[in-house]
Amino acid sequence: MMIKKKEILQSLLKLMVIVFAATILGKIFTELGFPETNIVVMYLLAVLLVARFTSGYQYGILSAVVSLICYNYFFTEPYHTLAVNDPGYLITFSIMLTTSILTSALTTKEKLLTEEANERGKESQILYMLSSKLSDAADMEAVLKIAAESISHLLQVNVMGIRSTDGSIFWQW
């Protein structure tokens, strides 16, 4: 429970730092005379970074909403309010929010798939080593020794469970 709270606080801190940095860079871009599109792209990058360096969809979606609010507050007239005088900004906000949420979802999904592929790679490597050892075994005593070593290795690797072909866990440590 304590680890979960710590992880949540770390993720929220990452979100705030990344969006704050995007806002500061946006202010610098404004002072240098860059167009507003660069600021929008900066916030899209911020959402992408939040999605990459946090776990779960909720932080990416939250960063998309926070980025949109910051963009509206700091970079659209009337400045330092959440009012919208130009109806064209509503389209900008809609596109920005949709793009941010989609980018966040895709990044999070990619991270999950990468983690799953790494886990399956480790499992394949263990199974390959086990099958190699078993094929070299001369008698039943050697097979039992290999099985004991393999179980010991699995416990050290901290295997969380064995999955069935549909992905559900049917046995767990």
Side-chain angles (χ1 to χ4, degrees):
M1 186 64 133
M2 192 66 152
I3 294 172
K4 183 89 170 153
K5 286 183 180 180
K6 184 178 179 181
E7 183 180 315
I8 291 170
L9 290 175
Q10 287 176 341
S11 294
L12 289 174
L13 180 63
K14 289 175 187 176
L15 184 150
M16 290 187 299
V17 167
I18 291 170
V19 172
F20 178 76
T23 303
I24 296 300
L25 285 171
K27 284 292 194 185
I28 292 170
F29 284 4
T30 301
E31 294 298 318
L32 294 174
F34 287 20
E36 285 182 356
T37 53
N38 290 332
I39 299 167
V40 170
V41 171
M42 184 63 60
Y43 279 117
L44 292 176
L45 176 62
V47 171
L48 182 67
L49 291 173
V50 169
R52 172 62 184 94
F53 293 113
T54 58
S55 59
Y57 293 98
Q58 65 271 20
Y59 300 108
I61 292 170
L62 181 60
S63 69
V65 172
V66 170
S67 294
L68 179 65
I69 291 170
C70 287
Y71 176 74
N72 183 20
Y73 188 82
F74 292 107
F75 300 105
T76 62
E77 292 183 11
Y79 298 107
H80 307 292
T81 69
L82 296 178
V84 178
N85 287 346
D86 184 358
Y89 278 122
L90 295 176
I91 294 171
T92 302
F93 295 161
S94 299
I95 293 171
M96 183 178 170
L97 187 62
T98 302
T99 305
S100 296
I101 290 172
L102 286 173
T103 301
S104 170
L106 290 171
T107 302
T108 303
K109 182 70 172 178
E110 179 271 331
K111 268 183 22 182
L112 293 173
L113 290 173
T114 300
E115 289 172 8
E116 185 178 316
N118 287 336
E119 286 177 25
R120 290 186 190 266
K122 289 176 186 175
E123 290 171 5
S124 296
Q125 187 178 28
I126 291 169
L127 290 173
Y128 175 76
M129 289 176 11
L130 177 62
S131 67
S132 294
K133 287 180 181 180
L134 286 174
S135 67
D136 293 342
D139 57 10
M140 190 58 151
E141 187 176 314
V143 170
L144 291 174
K145 182 180 177 188
I146 292 168
E149 288 172 359
S150 297
I151 290 172
S152 173
H153 182 70
L154 287 174
L155 288 172
Q156 290 172 359
V157 177
N158 193 18
V159 172
M160 295 305 291
I162 297 176
R163 297 185 185 274
S164 66
T165 54
D166 68 351
S168 62
I169 294 177
F170 65 88
W171 181 70
Q172 192 160 357
W173 292 95

mmCIF file of all heavy atoms in Angstrom, residues 125-170:
data_model
loop_
_atom_site.group_PDB
_atom_site.id
_atom_site.type_symbol
_atom_site.label_atom_id
_atom_site.label_comp_id
_atom_site.label_asym_id
_atom_site.label_seq_id
_atom_site.Cartn_x
_atom_site.Cartn_y
_atom_site.Cartn_z
ATOM 1 N N GLN A 125 14.012 -18.131 -22.605
ATOM 2 C CA GLN A 125 15.417 -18.407 -22.321
ATOM 3 C C GLN A 125 15.549 -19.479 -21.242
ATOM 4 O O GLN A 125 16.347 -20.412 -21.373
ATOM 5 C CB GLN A 125 16.124 -17.121 -21.884
ATOM 6 C CG GLN A 125 17.609 -17.254 -21.733
ATOM 7 C CD GLN A 125 18.253 -15.935 -21.358
ATOM 8 O OE1 GLN A 125 17.629 -15.083 -20.734
ATOM 9 N NE2 GLN A 125 19.502 -15.768 -21.739
ATOM 10 N N ILE A 126 14.738 -19.380 -20.188
ATOM 11 C CA ILE A 126 14.762 -20.378 -19.117
ATOM 12 C C ILE A 126 14.344 -21.744 -19.664
ATOM 13 O O ILE A 126 14.980 -22.763 -19.376
ATOM 14 C CB ILE A 126 13.858 -19.945 -17.942
ATOM 15 C CG1 ILE A 126 14.474 -18.742 -17.232
ATOM 16 C CG2 ILE A 126 13.638 -21.084 -16.962
ATOM 17 C CD1 ILE A 126 13.544 -18.072 -16.225
ATOM 18 N N LEU A 127 13.287 -21.767 -20.458
ATOM 19 C CA LEU A 127 12.828 -23.041 -21.021
ATOM 20 C C LEU A 127 13.857 -23.647 -21.968
ATOM 21 O O LEU A 127 14.044 -24.862 -22.005
ATOM 22 C CB LEU A 127 11.483 -22.849 -21.732
ATOM 23 C CG LEU A 127 10.288 -22.583 -20.819
ATOM 24 C CD1 LEU A 127 9.054 -22.239 -21.653
ATOM 25 C CD2 LEU A 127 10.018 -23.782 -19.934
ATOM 26 N N TYR A 128 14.532 -22.809 -22.732
ATOM 27 C CA TYR A 128 15.575 -23.310 -23.637
ATOM 28 C C TYR A 128 16.717 -23.928 -22.845
ATOM 29 O O TYR A 128 17.207 -25.019 -23.176
ATOM 30 C CB TYR A 128 16.095 -22.185 -24.538
ATOM 31 C CG TYR A 128 17.244 -22.626 -25.410
ATOM 32 C CD1 TYR A 128 17.023 -23.407 -26.537
ATOM 33 C CD2 TYR A 128 18.556 -22.282 -25.095
ATOM 34 C CE1 TYR A 128 18.075 -23.825 -27.335
ATOM 35 C CE2 TYR A 128 19.608 -22.693 -25.877
ATOM 36 C CZ TYR A 128 19.366 -23.470 -26.991
ATOM 37 O OH TYR A 128 20.399 -23.897 -27.768
ATOM 38 N N MET A 129 17.158 -23.239 -21.801
ATOM 39 C CA MET A 129 18.239 -23.772 -20.972
ATOM 40 C C MET A 129 17.815 -25.085 -20.319
ATOM 41 O O MET A 129 18.593 -26.045 -20.262
ATOM 42 C CB MET A 129 18.656 -22.742 -19.918
ATOM 43 C CG MET A 129 19.386 -21.553 -20.494
ATOM 44 S SD MET A 129 19.838 -20.194 -19.365
ATOM 45 C CE MET A 129 19.551 -20.782 -17.751
ATOM 46 N N LEU A 130 16.571 -25.133 -19.844
ATOM 47 C CA LEU A 130 16.062 -26.354 -19.214
ATOM 48 C C LEU A 130 16.013 -27.505 -20.211
ATOM 49 O O LEU A 130 16.461 -28.622 -19.912
ATOM 50 C CB LEU A 130 14.669 -26.107 -18.628
ATOM 51 C CG LEU A 130 13.973 -27.303 -17.997
ATOM 52 C CD1 LEU A 130 14.775 -27.831 -16.817
ATOM 53 C CD2 LEU A 130 12.570 -26.934 -17.573
ATOM 54 N N SER A 131 15.498 -27.249 -21.400
ATOM 55 C CA SER A 131 15.415 -28.323 -22.394
ATOM 56 C C SER A 131 16.801 -28.777 -22.830
ATOM 57 O O SER A 131 17.021 -29.970 -23.073
ATOM 58 C CB SER A 131 14.576 -27.885 -23.592
ATOM 59 O OG SER A 131 15.221 -26.862 -24.306
ATOM 60 N N SER A 132 17.748 -27.873 -22.905
ATOM 61 C CA SER A 132 19.120 -28.254 -23.257
ATOM 62 C C SER A 132 19.724 -29.154 -22.190
ATOM 63 O O SER A 132 20.358 -30.172 -22.497
ATOM 64 C CB SER A 132 19.998 -27.012 -23.418
ATOM 65 O OG SER A 132 19.580 -26.257 -24.509
ATOM 66 N N LYS A 133 19.513 -28.775 -20.935
ATOM 67 C CA LYS A 133 20.041 -29.588 -19.831
ATOM 68 C C LYS A 133 19.371 -30.956 -19.794
ATOM 69 O O LYS A 133 20.025 -31.972 -19.566
ATOM 70 C CB LYS A 133 19.847 -28.872 -18.495
ATOM 71 C CG LYS A 133 20.766 -27.692 -18.291
ATOM 72 C CD LYS A 133 20.516 -27.047 -16.942
ATOM 73 C CE LYS A 133 21.408 -25.847 -16.727
ATOM 74 N NZ LYS A 133 21.155 -25.228 -15.410
ATOM 75 N N LEU A 134 18.053 -30.982 -20.004
ATOM 76 C CA LEU A 134 17.329 -32.250 -19.971
ATOM 77 C C LEU A 134 17.760 -33.174 -21.106
ATOM 78 O O LEU A 134 17.837 -34.387 -20.935
ATOM 79 C CB LEU A 134 15.817 -32.016 -20.018
ATOM 80 C CG LEU A 134 15.187 -31.493 -18.736
ATOM 81 C CD1 LEU A 134 13.723 -31.161 -18.965
ATOM 82 C CD2 LEU A 134 15.339 -32.491 -17.597
ATOM 83 N N SER A 135 18.042 -32.613 -22.264
ATOM 84 C CA SER A 135 18.479 -33.458 -23.385
ATOM 85 C C SER A 135 19.867 -34.031 -23.138
ATOM 86 O O SER A 135 20.213 -35.085 -23.672
ATOM 87 C CB SER A 135 18.444 -32.680 -24.692
ATOM 88 O OG SER A 135 19.402 -31.658 -24.681
ATOM 89 N N ASP A 136 20.661 -33.362 -22.299
ATOM 90 C CA ASP A 136 22.007 -33.848 -21.971
ATOM 91 C C ASP A 136 21.998 -34.810 -20.787
ATOM 92 O O ASP A 136 23.021 -35.438 -20.498
ATOM 93 C CB ASP A 136 22.940 -32.670 -21.651
ATOM 94 C CG ASP A 136 23.204 -31.800 -22.862
ATOM 95 O OD1 ASP A 136 22.970 -32.265 -23.994
ATOM 96 O OD2 ASP A 136 23.629 -30.640 -22.675
ATOM 97 N N ALA A 137 20.871 -34.919 -20.090
ATOM 98 C CA ALA A 137 20.804 -35.774 -18.897
ATOM 99 C C ALA A 137 20.978 -37.239 -19.283
ATOM 100 O O ALA A 137 20.403 -37.722 -20.256
ATOM 101 C CB ALA A 137 19.471 -35.568 -18.186
ATOM 102 N N ALA A 138 21.769 -37.941 -18.467
ATOM 103 C CA ALA A 138 22.080 -39.340 -18.764
ATOM 104 C C ALA A 138 21.105 -40.310 -18.116
ATOM 105 O O ALA A 138 20.832 -41.374 -18.674
ATOM 106 C CB ALA A 138 23.500 -39.661 -18.306
ATOM 107 N N ASP A 139 20.575 -39.937 -16.954
ATOM 108 C CA ASP A 139 19.676 -40.862 -16.260
ATOM 109 C C ASP A 139 18.642 -40.075 -15.461
ATOM 110 O O ASP A 139 18.633 -38.849 -15.450
ATOM 111 C CB ASP A 139 20.465 -41.805 -15.351
ATOM 112 C CG ASP A 139 21.327 -41.066 -14.333
ATOM 113 O OD1 ASP A 139 21.169 -39.829 -14.202
ATOM 114 O OD2 ASP A 139 22.149 -41.713 -13.674
ATOM 115 N N MET A 140 17.766 -40.795 -14.770
ATOM 116 C CA MET A 140 16.669 -40.175 -14.019
ATOM 117 C C MET A 140 17.186 -39.307 -12.881
ATOM 118 O O MET A 140 16.605 -38.270 -12.569
ATOM 119 C CB MET A 140 15.735 -41.270 -13.484
ATOM 120 C CG MET A 140 14.478 -40.711 -12.919
ATOM 121 S SD MET A 140 13.656 -39.767 -14.201
ATOM 122 C CE MET A 140 12.010 -39.941 -13.702
ATOM 123 N N GLU A 141 18.286 -39.684 -12.276
ATOM 124 C CA GLU A 141 18.866 -38.895 -11.183
ATOM 125 C C GLU A 141 19.302 -37.520 -11.693
ATOM 126 O O GLU A 141 19.079 -36.500 -11.046
ATOM 127 C CB GLU A 141 20.060 -39.645 -10.577
ATOM 128 C CG GLU A 141 20.611 -38.967 -9.334
ATOM 129 C CD GLU A 141 21.731 -39.774 -8.705
ATOM 130 O OE1 GLU A 141 21.584 -41.009 -8.554
ATOM 131 O OE2 GLU A 141 22.756 -39.154 -8.376
ATOM 132 N N ALA A 142 19.891 -37.481 -12.868
ATOM 133 C CA ALA A 142 20.305 -36.209 -13.471
ATOM 134 C C ALA A 142 19.087 -35.352 -13.807
ATOM 135 O O ALA A 142 19.104 -34.135 -13.623
ATOM 136 C CB ALA A 142 21.137 -36.467 -14.720
ATOM 137 N N VAL A 143 18.007 -35.996 -14.272
ATOM 138 C CA VAL A 143 16.783 -35.264 -14.584
ATOM 139 C C VAL A 143 16.205 -34.633 -13.321
ATOM 140 O O VAL A 143 15.794 -33.468 -13.314
ATOM 141 C CB VAL A 143 15.742 -36.194 -15.270
ATOM 142 C CG1 VAL A 143 14.390 -35.510 -15.378
ATOM 143 C CG2 VAL A 143 16.237 -36.622 -16.631
ATOM 144 N N LEU A 144 16.173 -35.376 -12.224
ATOM 145 C CA LEU A 144 15.659 -34.856 -10.958
ATOM 146 C C LEU A 144 16.515 -33.706 -10.436
ATOM 147 O O LEU A 144 15.997 -32.722 -9.913
ATOM 148 C CB LEU A 144 15.557 -35.973 -9.915
ATOM 149 C CG LEU A 144 14.491 -37.030 -10.190
ATOM 150 C CD1 LEU A 144 14.587 -38.161 -9.180
ATOM 151 C CD2 LEU A 144 13.106 -36.418 -10.185
ATOM 152 N N LYS A 145 17.819 -33.829 -10.582
ATOM 153 C CA LYS A 145 18.727 -32.755 -10.159
ATOM 154 C C LYS A 145 18.468 -31.488 -10.982
ATOM 155 O O LYS A 145 18.403 -30.387 -10.447
ATOM 156 C CB LYS A 145 20.178 -33.205 -10.309
ATOM 157 C CG LYS A 145 21.175 -32.178 -9.839
ATOM 158 C CD LYS A 145 22.589 -32.674 -10.001
ATOM 159 C CE LYS A 145 23.557 -31.575 -9.592
ATOM 160 N NZ LYS A 145 24.937 -31.905 -9.898
ATOM 161 N N ILE A 146 18.309 -31.647 -12.281
ATOM 162 C CA ILE A 146 18.024 -30.507 -13.169
ATOM 163 C C ILE A 146 16.690 -29.876 -12.799
ATOM 164 O O ILE A 146 16.560 -28.650 -12.742
ATOM 165 C CB ILE A 146 18.051 -30.951 -14.645
ATOM 166 C CG1 ILE A 146 19.475 -31.325 -15.057
ATOM 167 C CG2 ILE A 146 17.496 -29.860 -15.557
ATOM 168 C CD1 ILE A 146 19.567 -32.035 -16.393
ATOM 169 N N ALA A 147 15.679 -30.696 -12.512
ATOM 170 C CA ALA A 147 14.364 -30.179 -12.133
ATOM 171 C C ALA A 147 14.458 -29.382 -10.842
ATOM 172 O O ALA A 147 13.863 -28.301 -10.724
ATOM 173 C CB ALA A 147 13.373 -31.329 -11.990
ATOM 174 N N ALA A 148 15.217 -29.880 -9.855
ATOM 175 C CA ALA A 148 15.376 -29.167 -8.577
ATOM 176 C C ALA A 148 16.081 -27.834 -8.792
ATOM 177 O O ALA A 148 15.684 -26.797 -8.232
ATOM 178 C CB ALA A 148 16.141 -30.037 -7.588
ATOM 179 N N GLU A 149 17.123 -27.830 -9.612
ATOM 180 C CA GLU A 149 17.841 -26.586 -9.909
ATOM 181 C C GLU A 149 16.929 -25.593 -10.626
ATOM 182 O O GLU A 149 16.962 -24.390 -10.359
ATOM 183 C CB GLU A 149 19.070 -26.878 -10.772
ATOM 184 C CG GLU A 149 20.188 -27.575 -10.052
ATOM 185 C CD GLU A 149 21.311 -28.007 -10.997
ATOM 186 O OE1 GLU A 149 21.203 -27.775 -12.223
ATOM 187 O OE2 GLU A 149 22.299 -28.579 -10.502
ATOM 188 N N SER A 150 16.124 -26.091 -11.538
ATOM 189 C CA SER A 150 15.222 -25.225 -12.300
ATOM 190 C C SER A 150 14.183 -24.594 -11.393
ATOM 191 O O SER A 150 13.888 -23.401 -11.502
ATOM 192 C CB SER A 150 14.532 -26.007 -13.409
ATOM 193 O OG SER A 150 15.481 -26.486 -14.319
ATOM 194 N N ILE A 151 13.623 -25.376 -10.490
ATOM 195 C CA ILE A 151 12.632 -24.829 -9.555
ATOM 196 C C ILE A 151 13.289 -23.779 -8.667
ATOM 197 O O ILE A 151 12.730 -22.712 -8.438
ATOM 198 C CB ILE A 151 11.986 -25.956 -8.725
ATOM 199 C CG1 ILE A 151 11.091 -26.796 -9.630
ATOM 200 C CG2 ILE A 151 11.212 -25.390 -7.545
ATOM 201 C CD1 ILE A 151 10.554 -28.048 -8.982
ATOM 202 N N SER A 152 14.496 -24.067 -8.215
ATOM 203 C CA SER A 152 15.225 -23.105 -7.393
ATOM 204 C C SER A 152 15.476 -21.814 -8.168
ATOM 205 O O SER A 152 15.297 -20.710 -7.655
ATOM 206 C CB SER A 152 16.556 -23.716 -6.956
ATOM 207 O OG SER A 152 17.344 -22.760 -6.307
ATOM 208 N N HIS A 153 15.850 -21.960 -9.440
ATOM 209 C CA HIS A 153 16.097 -20.780 -10.287
ATOM 210 C C HIS A 153 14.815 -19.976 -10.497
ATOM 211 O O HIS A 153 14.827 -18.750 -10.442
ATOM 212 C CB HIS A 153 16.684 -21.213 -11.630
ATOM 213 C CG HIS A 153 17.007 -20.064 -12.535
ATOM 214 N ND1 HIS A 153 18.041 -19.197 -12.277
ATOM 215 C CD2 HIS A 153 16.424 -19.637 -13.685
ATOM 216 C CE1 HIS A 153 18.073 -18.282 -13.221
ATOM 217 N NE2 HIS A 153 17.111 -18.527 -14.089
ATOM 218 N N LEU A 154 13.716 -20.669 -10.724
ATOM 219 C CA LEU A 154 12.443 -19.978 -10.911
ATOM 220 C C LEU A 154 12.064 -19.192 -9.668
ATOM 221 O O LEU A 154 11.549 -18.080 -9.754
ATOM 222 C CB LEU A 154 11.336 -20.967 -11.268
ATOM 223 C CG LEU A 154 11.376 -21.554 -12.668
ATOM 224 C CD1 LEU A 154 10.300 -22.613 -12.813
ATOM 225 C CD2 LEU A 154 11.217 -20.476 -13.715
ATOM 226 N N LEU A 155 12.316 -19.760 -8.496
ATOM 227 C CA LEU A 155 12.001 -19.050 -7.259
ATOM 228 C C LEU A 155 12.883 -17.809 -7.106
ATOM 229 O O LEU A 155 12.435 -16.771 -6.639
ATOM 230 C CB LEU A 155 12.172 -19.976 -6.055
ATOM 231 C CG LEU A 155 11.108 -21.058 -5.905
ATOM 232 C CD1 LEU A 155 11.493 -22.029 -4.796
ATOM 233 C CD2 LEU A 155 9.750 -20.451 -5.640
ATOM 234 N N GLN A 156 14.144 -17.909 -7.515
ATOM 235 C CA GLN A 156 15.052 -16.766 -7.427
ATOM 236 C C GLN A 156 14.659 -15.659 -8.390
ATOM 237 O O GLN A 156 14.796 -14.486 -8.093
ATOM 238 C CB GLN A 156 16.480 -17.202 -7.715
ATOM 239 C CG GLN A 156 17.073 -18.059 -6.619
ATOM 240 C CD GLN A 156 18.421 -18.627 -7.011
ATOM 241 O OE1 GLN A 156 18.911 -18.395 -8.114
ATOM 242 N NE2 GLN A 156 19.017 -19.392 -6.113
ATOM 243 N N VAL A 157 14.152 -16.031 -9.557
ATOM 244 C CA VAL A 157 13.751 -15.048 -10.561
ATOM 245 C C VAL A 157 12.444 -14.381 -10.154
ATOM 246 O O VAL A 157 12.069 -13.355 -10.676
ATOM 247 C CB VAL A 157 13.633 -15.713 -11.953
ATOM 248 C CG1 VAL A 157 13.154 -14.738 -13.002
ATOM 249 C CG2 VAL A 157 14.964 -16.289 -12.372
ATOM 250 N N ASN A 158 11.745 -14.983 -9.171
ATOM 251 C CA ASN A 158 10.488 -14.450 -8.654
ATOM 252 C C ASN A 158 9.390 -14.498 -9.704
ATOM 253 O O ASN A 158 8.774 -13.505 -10.043
ATOM 254 C CB ASN A 158 10.667 -13.025 -8.127
ATOM 255 C CG ASN A 158 9.475 -12.577 -7.318
ATOM 256 O OD1 ASN A 158 8.681 -13.406 -6.875
ATOM 257 N ND2 ASN A 158 9.339 -11.283 -7.132
ATOM 258 N N VAL A 159 9.188 -15.683 -10.224
ATOM 259 C CA VAL A 159 8.124 -15.876 -11.192
ATOM 260 C C VAL A 159 6.799 -15.654 -10.478
ATOM 261 O O VAL A 159 6.546 -16.219 -9.426
ATOM 262 C CB VAL A 159 8.189 -17.298 -11.791
ATOM 263 C CG1 VAL A 159 6.983 -17.581 -12.647
ATOM 264 C CG2 VAL A 159 9.466 -17.461 -12.589
ATOM 265 N N MET A 160 5.942 -14.831 -11.046
ATOM 266 C CA MET A 160 4.676 -14.487 -10.409
ATOM 267 C C MET A 160 3.589 -15.508 -10.718
ATOM 268 O O MET A 160 2.617 -15.593 -10.019
ATOM 269 C CB MET A 160 4.218 -13.097 -10.849
ATOM 270 C CG MET A 160 5.142 -11.998 -10.391
ATOM 271 S SD MET A 160 5.424 -12.006 -8.623
ATOM 272 C CE MET A 160 3.833 -11.537 -8.040
ATOM 273 N N GLY A 161 3.705 -16.262 -11.775
ATOM 274 C CA GLY A 161 2.668 -17.232 -12.072
ATOM 275 C C GLY A 161 2.895 -17.885 -13.411
ATOM 276 O O GLY A 161 3.754 -17.468 -14.177
ATOM 277 N N ILE A 162 2.153 -18.911 -13.659
ATOM 278 C CA ILE A 162 2.192 -19.587 -14.944
ATOM 279 C C ILE A 162 0.903 -19.235 -15.664
ATOM 280 O O ILE A 162 -0.184 -19.336 -15.114
ATOM 281 C CB ILE A 162 2.327 -21.112 -14.762
ATOM 282 C CG1 ILE A 162 3.655 -21.417 -14.065
ATOM 283 C CG2 ILE A 162 2.222 -21.820 -16.098
ATOM 284 C CD1 ILE A 162 3.855 -22.875 -13.747
ATOM 285 N N ARG A 163 1.019 -18.814 -16.898
ATOM 286 C CA ARG A 163 -0.139 -18.360 -17.653
ATOM 287 C C ARG A 163 -0.603 -19.439 -18.614
ATOM 288 O O ARG A 163 0.194 -20.151 -19.196
ATOM 289 C CB ARG A 163 0.192 -17.085 -18.427
ATOM 290 C CG ARG A 163 0.543 -15.934 -17.531
ATOM 291 C CD ARG A 163 0.749 -14.659 -18.345
ATOM 292 N NE ARG A 163 1.195 -13.585 -17.505
ATOM 293 C CZ ARG A 163 0.387 -12.789 -16.819
ATOM 294 N NH1 ARG A 163 -0.901 -12.955 -16.871
ATOM 295 N NH2 ARG A 163 0.865 -11.820 -16.079
ATOM 296 N N SER A 164 -1.906 -19.487 -18.773
ATOM 297 C CA SER A 164 -2.458 -20.389 -19.778
ATOM 298 C C SER A 164 -2.374 -19.714 -21.137
ATOM 299 O O SER A 164 -1.970 -18.560 -21.242
ATOM 300 C CB SER A 164 -3.913 -20.722 -19.434
ATOM 301 O OG SER A 164 -4.711 -19.571 -19.532
ATOM 302 N N THR A 165 -2.761 -20.410 -22.182
ATOM 303 C CA THR A 165 -2.642 -19.849 -23.531
ATOM 304 C C THR A 165 -3.517 -18.621 -23.739
ATOM 305 O O THR A 165 -3.222 -17.789 -24.574
ATOM 306 C CB THR A 165 -3.020 -20.911 -24.586
ATOM 307 O OG1 THR A 165 -4.314 -21.421 -24.285
ATOM 308 C CG2 THR A 165 -2.006 -22.023 -24.615
ATOM 309 N N ASP A 166 -4.587 -18.475 -22.944
ATOM 310 C CA ASP A 166 -5.419 -17.282 -23.100
ATOM 311 C C ASP A 166 -4.922 -16.116 -22.256
ATOM 312 O O ASP A 166 -5.521 -15.056 -22.232
ATOM 313 C CB ASP A 166 -6.897 -17.591 -22.759
ATOM 314 C CG ASP A 166 -7.110 -17.882 -21.284
ATOM 315 O OD1 ASP A 166 -6.125 -18.016 -20.539
ATOM 316 O OD2 ASP A 166 -8.281 -17.981 -20.887
ATOM 317 N N GLY A 167 -3.785 -16.284 -21.544
ATOM 318 C CA GLY A 167 -3.184 -15.195 -20.788
ATOM 319 C C GLY A 167 -3.601 -15.137 -19.327
ATOM 320 O O GLY A 167 -3.043 -14.372 -18.561
ATOM 321 N N SER A 168 -4.549 -15.958 -18.920
ATOM 322 C CA SER A 168 -4.969 -15.910 -17.517
ATOM 323 C C SER A 168 -4.002 -16.724 -16.660
ATOM 324 O O SER A 168 -3.424 -17.705 -17.117
ATOM 325 C CB SER A 168 -6.395 -16.444 -17.369
ATOM 326 O OG SER A 168 -6.444 -17.799 -17.772
ATOM 327 N N ILE A 169 -3.844 -16.319 -15.422
ATOM 328 C CA ILE A 169 -2.934 -17.015 -14.521
ATOM 329 C C ILE A 169 -3.689 -18.167 -13.875
ATOM 330 O O ILE A 169 -4.762 -17.971 -13.305
ATOM 331 C CB ILE A 169 -2.390 -16.059 -13.436
ATOM 332 C CG1 ILE A 169 -1.518 -14.983 -14.070
ATOM 333 C CG2 ILE A 169 -1.621 -16.832 -12.368
ATOM 334 C CD1 ILE A 169 -0.993 -13.967 -13.099
ATOM 335 N N PHE A 170 -3.164 -19.389 -14.022
ATOM 336 C CA PHE A 170 -3.836 -20.514 -13.400
ATOM 337 C C PHE A 170 -3.043 -21.102 -12.244
ATOM 338 O O PHE A 170 -3.505 -21.993 -11.553
ATOM 339 C CB PHE A 170 -4.225 -21.597 -14.418
ATOM 340 C CG PHE A 170 -3.062 -22.278 -15.081
ATOM 341 C CD1 PHE A 170 -2.468 -23.399 -14.523
ATOM 342 C CD2 PHE A 170 -2.588 -21.818 -16.297
ATOM 343 C CE1 PHE A 170 -1.413 -24.032 -15.157
ATOM 344 C CE2 PHE A 170 -1.552 -22.450 -16.925
ATOM 345 C CZ PHE A 170 -0.952 -23.551 -16.364
#
